[in-house]
Amino acid sequence: MYKRQAIIRGDEIPAGEVVDNDVILSGDVVRLAGEVNGNAFVAGREVVIDGHVTGSVFAIAQRITINGAVDGGAYTLGLVAQLGSEAAVGQNFYFLGVSLASARGAQIGRDLVALSPVSYTHLDVYKRQWIARDDH
């Protein structure tokens, strides 16, 4: 039996929750710790992606942190974006903002496209057979 799930989900998808739909999350601090089988559209002062998104992530926030897995692309607009050591973006990662940082071990499956005056990266970009590293 098909269970209809609402696309607008408030400001959090907790760990252990599975959503079989696209989601829209907004609030002051937005946390996606569960699993989304679709795309995630998120906006807030702070956005944290600790879970798994099978589609793409579209994020607008002052601070965006990705620690989980995004199978599609990540499209981010914010003051600061951070990719944690367990972050994995399956396709392209786009960033428009002031500062982009990544921990050693963060992965992007295709291209990193960043328009930023400051970036500190330890990204492994596998599909292009090159590794972008800047050990500031």
Side-chain angles (χ1 to χ4, degrees):
M1 177 179 218
Y2 176 72
K3 180 180 175 187
R4 184 179 172 108
Q5 293 182 314
I7 189 170
I8 301 174
R9 305 292 295 193
D11 64 357
E12 180 178 21
I13 295 179
E17 185 172 339
V18 177
V19 178
D20 292 318
N21 201 350
D22 292 342
V23 296
I24 298 172
L25 301 170
S26 65
D28 185 42
V29 177
V30 179
R31 295 191 184 280
L32 192 160
E35 182 173 341
V36 174
N37 293 315
N39 298 309
F41 302 87
V42 292
R45 181 182 52 80
E46 182 174 357
V47 167
V48 179
I49 309 291
D50 287 331
H52 180 207
V53 178
T54 62
S56 294
V57 168
F58 302 85
I60 299 174
Q62 286 181 1
R63 175 176 295 278
I64 300 162
T65 303
I66 299 177
N67 296 314
V70 178
D71 293 349
Y75 305 84
T76 60
L77 171 64
L79 231 61
V80 176
Q82 168 115 20
L83 296 172
S85 63
E86 299 296 316
V89 177
Q91 296 181 16
N92 296 329
F93 182 84
Y94 296 91
F95 172 68
L96 174 61
V98 175
S99 177
L100 170 61
S102 68
R104 190 171 307 279
Q107 299 176 17
I108 294 175
R110 291 190 186 162
D111 293 329
L112 166 64
V113 180
L115 181 57
S116 173
V118 179
S119 66
Y120 302 102
T121 62
H122 292 9
L123 296 173
D124 295 332
V125 183
Y126 293 109
K127 298 283 185 187
R128 299 286 185 224
Q129 301 301 314
W130 55 272
I131 297 174
R133 295 196 187 276
D134 184 3
D135 292 317
H136 282 62

